[in-house]
Amino acid sequence: MRVLVTGGAGFIGANFVHWTRRHRPEVELTVLDALTYAGSGESLGDAAPLVQGDIADAALVDRLVAEHDLVVHFAAETHNDNSLSDPSPFVQTNLVGTFTILEAVRKHGVRLHHVSTDEVYGDLELDDPERFTESTPYNPSSPYSSTKAGSDLLVRAWVRSFGITATISNCSNNYGPYQHVEKFIPRQITNVLDGLRPKLYGDGLNVRDWIHVDDHNSGVWAIVDKGRSGETYLIGADGEETNRTVVEAILRELGQPDDAFDLVKDRPGHDRRYAIDSSKLRTELGWAPQYSDFAAGLRATIAWNRDHEAGWRPQKDATEAKYAKAGQ
Ligand code: NAD
Ligand code: DAU
């Protein structure tokens, strides 16, 4: 099988390539990635050939899609805070880029797996007994999540109207190696390593449903192997934690007092809580997460960041300068 991986130099895409190399050595991979601020050829290493280019470049996408059997589409603008300061690249990449891929897979009869997020469902109250399922209505809050929601709807429409073969996954918050230091967990780990205090938005009680990136990627492969075209599958590992609990665990692991953090300005429109019910993926496709112990996964991620400073150091100062300007 020849697989085109868009966004394969980013956090989840690079881990997808490494996971596939380990578990599916027979699969031929090509990465298409624009190497934006979030992409890094070093995360990918020599695990797959890299074509540097934009998913909204119709001629390039058409040529590459024609040479593959499957597109696994990770490429996106992904950071909520950035989408609040400048939504434009989110509309261009997440909507126009996904449209460009859809037109190419339609023309060449190539299968698509579209990687999306649980944020398309909006948020839940802290005490809501419900979790997101595949039938929860879309209700995105931010420019990021609304463009991801739009991209999902484009995929659904191309399946129904043009008969393309495509699946969609909506996953919760990932953690693990190669994550950009703008994101919550690596930001706080590298802050403590740098002698800076972790920064919690608002009251620090927002809840995210954490999943190890390898569990996300094994879920993607389960859908590629056994998923039904036109279907959506939620991927989650029952990892709900408040942001404050995560920061306290990082501080403890790095030998600091539990309360050595700052509460800072909240994110506008900040979603309160995400929670995934992944029963469909588990019962229909037989998937189960391997990293059931979040504390152990977090410890390994702290160690990874401690051991890979050369990977994140070049982005750290500019990222913190941007946050400082925003009062965060
Ligand atoms: P990331 O920001 O780390 O990586 C995104 C990658 O896409 C980068 O390598 C970047 O260079 C590339 N890219 C951006 N614009 C491009 C363009 N126009 N053309 C080609 N490449 C482009 O993102 P991530 O966290 O790895 O997320 C990957 C996908 O998974 C996204 O679609 C995201 O919505 C989805 N997702 C992420 C999470 C999470 O917790 N991070 C959870 C659920 C779903
Ligand atoms: O749910 C899946 C989504 O998870 C993905 O679709 C997104 O691409 C990914 O970025 C992530 O979105 P979040 O907004 O949840 O992730 P982020 O890492 O930005 O923040 C996680 C939580 O931590 C959120 O409640 C905001 C908070 N936060 C974040 C930062 C950067 C802080 O309290 N302090 C911070 O410094």
Side-chain angles (χ1 to χ4, degrees), residues 29-267:
L29 297 167
T30 310
V31 167
L32 170 60
D33 197 295
L35 297 183
T36 68
Y37 80 96
S40 153
E42 277 148 39
S43 304
L44 190 59
D46 58 7
L50 167 68
V51 177
Q52 185 174 356
D54 191 329
I55 56 164
D57 177 341
L60 173 65
V61 167
D62 184 83
R63 178 172 67 73
L64 287 172
V65 166
E67 295 165 356
H68 292 83
D69 307 302
L70 166 71
V71 179
V72 181
H73 176 33
F74 291 97
E77 287 290 336
T78 63
H79 195 45
N80 275 298
D81 293 320
N82 294 345
S83 83
L84 294 162
S85 52
D86 181 9
S88 160
F90 290 76
V91 171
Q92 176 61 23
T93 289
N94 301 357
L95 289 169
V96 178
T98 301
F99 160 75
T100 308
I101 284 167
L102 283 165
E103 286 294 80
V105 297
R106 168 156 88 109
K107 179 171 163 196
H108 296 289
V110 169
R111 179 172 172 197
L112 172 68
H113 180 73
H114 175 62
V115 177
S116 192
T117 169
D118 61 354
E119 296 194 14
V120 300
Y121 299 115
D123 62 352
L124 299 161
E125 294 300 327
L126 293 180
D127 59 357
D128 192 332
E130 296 300 312
R131 296 188 291 168
F132 299 139
T133 71
E134 287 76 6
S135 52
T136 303
Y138 273 35
N139 187 28
S141 313
S142 73
Y144 163 65
S145 53
S146 60
T147 57
K148 290 298 291 188
S151 68
D152 294 7
L153 298 182
L154 291 175
V155 175
R156 290 183 183 187
W158 261 241
V159 170
R160 175 155 173 167
S161 300
F162 302 123
I164 68 162
T165 303
T167 41
I168 299 175
S169 54
N170 296 82
C171 187
S172 61
N173 284 65
N174 286 220
Y175 71 96
Y178 303 112
Q179 190 166 27
H180 195 280
V181 285
E182 70 189 351
K183 300 293 198 288
F184 178 60
I185 287 181
R187 181 182 186 206
Q188 312 312 343
I189 295 171
T190 54
N191 269 5
V192 180
L193 292 174
D194 274 356
L196 304 170
R197 287 163 72 90
K199 310 284 185 232
L200 279 169
Y201 293 174
D203 60 10
L205 298 181
N206 298 60
V207 169
R208 294 296 181 265
D209 188 352
W210 293 100
I211 182 171
H212 192 277
V213 63
D214 284 348
D215 283 334
H216 181 179
N217 284 324
S218 71
V220 168
W221 267 110
I223 298 164
V224 166
D225 286 340
K226 294 179 264 178
R228 286 175 290 135
S229 183
E231 292 290 316
T232 287
Y233 299 88
L234 263 54
I235 308 178
D238 300 333
E240 283 187 69
E241 300 283 344
T242 67
N243 293 336
R244 183 176 170 149
T245 313
V246 175
V247 157
E248 287 170 349
I250 293 168
L251 284 164
R252 265 198 306 278
E253 182 65 22
L254 291 171
Q256 300 295 315
D258 273 20
D259 60 354
F261 58 78
D262 294 328
L263 294 178
V264 296
K265 207 171 86 184
D266 207 354
R267 172 186 284 172

Side-chain angles (χ1 to χ4, degrees), residues 282-293:
R282 293 170 191 247
T283 52
E284 278 188 26
L285 306 189
W287 172 85
Q290 300 298 305
Y291 293 78
S292 47
D293 182 348

